[in-house]
Amino acid sequence: MISWWCVALEEPWTWEWIPYPGIWVVSILPIIVYLRATARSGETTTPRQRAQFIAGMIVFWLASDWPLGTLGAGYLASAHMAQFLLYTLVSVPLLLLGTPEWMAERVLGRLRLRGLAARLGSSLVLAGVTYNVLLALTHAPGVVSALRTSQWGSFFMDVVWMIAGFVLWLPVISPIRSIRNQSDIGRMLYLFATTSLVAVIPASFLTFTTMPIYSIYELAPRIGSLTARADQQLAGIVMKIGSIPIIWSTIGVIWFRWAAKEQQRQPVG
């Protein structure tokens, strides 16, 4: 029987390829719908936006499919954490950057989510709290063990991670400029506080605790010489430093743009 989504397995790990048709459909269908919509709408969509959207879906596929998806579903806590970072910090921002404003307006309108998106995009506190609540819930040992043991549960966790990514990035790079937070300083502080200050607590706990906290990964067949404790510590390290290149690069871009605008506002002479 072919699994349609990655799920925890009790079998010893091998590098034998496992097909997941559900992941292929979920990864390819949005690209088809996106390209058809941009071709038929008559609205402006740049080649860069199309490339960014497709790249975002490719990252989603790589994070979801074999081998990383299978490893994260039931073998390695570090792979689980790598998936989370790829979804929230790479795939989602690429999808947002690749979505033209007219398309975002239509999608949110049809889903009746524009009001919610506007509140999340304008309120840095609400977005930051929501993101970290979703982060904490989806990394709680009981939740991980419960969801990863079924295909629907594992699929649900991946969807929640994508939602968390959209919540995180809406105030910063929302395709709809009117619901994007307008304070450059605020967005820089928001990214730092949301992804660095708060996330360091669970990351440090994973890194320095002496006992494995995820039973599903502790009891999983071992891969090579990596122990359950070492795997958990690696997960903490990935969580702690994995976001640094992307978050600080984004903060740097916002800072330079803010500095350029401030310089233009200075009176000449």
Side-chain angles (χ1 to χ4, degrees):
M1 180 179 179
I2 297 178
S3 297
W4 66 276
W5 204 267
C6 291
V7 67
L9 303 174
E10 297 180 357
E11 305 167 2
W13 172 260
T14 69
W15 287 100
E16 182 179 355
W17 175 68
I18 303 175
Y20 294 106
I23 294 175
W24 306 340
V25 172
V26 174
S27 301
I28 296 173
L29 188 58
I31 296 177
I32 296 174
V33 173
Y34 175 90
L35 293 177
R36 286 173 63 88
T38 55
R40 292 182 174 184
S41 68
E43 302 281 357
T44 301
T45 307
T46 66
R48 181 176 181 178
Q49 286 176 315
R50 288 191 287 271
Q52 288 170 326
F53 188 90
I54 293 173
M57 290 310 307
I58 290 174
V59 173
F60 171 84
W61 164 65
L62 291 173
S64 306
D65 206 354
W66 184 93
L68 184 58
T70 309
L71 290 169
Y75 288 95
L76 296 175
S78 53
H80 168 97
M81 197 64 67
Q83 282 184 283
F84 172 76
L85 293 183
L86 285 173
Y87 284 141
T88 58
L89 300 184
V90 184
S91 177
V92 168
L94 284 172
L95 293 176
L96 287 173
L97 291 171
T99 302
E101 187 167 5
W102 60 266
M103 182 181 291
E105 288 280 12
R106 292 181 186 179
V107 171
L108 291 177
R110 290 179 181 178
L111 296 177
R112 301 181 183 275
L113 292 175
R114 198 190 188 291
L116 177 60
R119 286 193 291 274
L120 289 170
S122 59
S123 175
L124 300 177
V125 173
L126 178 60
V129 170
T130 303
Y131 169 77
N132 278 287
V133 167
L134 293 176
L135 182 153
L137 288 176
T138 54
H139 288 87
V143 174
V144 173
S145 296
L147 294 182
R148 286 303 200 183
T149 53
S150 72
Q151 294 185 69
W152 281 110
S154 192
F155 170 75
F156 177 75
M157 175 171 284
D158 294 344
V159 170
V160 172
W161 279 348
M162 292 295 288
I163 293 173
F166 283 111
V167 171
L168 171 66
W169 289 101
L170 268 178
V172 183
I173 54 173
S174 168
I176 304 174
R177 287 184 287 270
S178 62
I179 67 174
R180 187 187 308 165
N181 190 276
Q182 302 303 310
S183 170
D184 293 323
I185 299 297
R187 284 184 291 162
M188 287 187 283
L189 293 174
Y190 159 79
L191 283 176
F192 173 70
T194 303
T195 63
S196 299
L197 290 181
V198 180
V200 75
I201 299 174
S204 298
F205 182 75
L206 289 172
T207 304
F208 297 111
T209 185
T210 59
M211 296 294 294
I213 64 172
Y214 294 110
S215 60
I216 191 170
Y217 299 119
E218 179 186 6
L219 302 176
R222 304 297 349 133
I223 298 178
S225 60
L226 188 64
T227 65
R229 180 184 176 188
D231 172 46
Q232 183 172 286
Q233 290 174 328
L234 180 59
I237 294 171
V238 170
M239 187 179 192
K240 186 180 298 183
I241 68 174
S243 63
I244 290 177
I246 294 173
I247 295 301
W248 282 100
S249 295
T250 305
I251 290 174
V253 170
I254 297 173
W255 187 87
F256 280 113
R257 289 179 178 176
W258 169 77
K261 287 189 293 187
E262 289 297 310
Q263 189 173 14
Q264 291 176 355
R265 291 173 184 171
Q266 296 298 325
V268 178

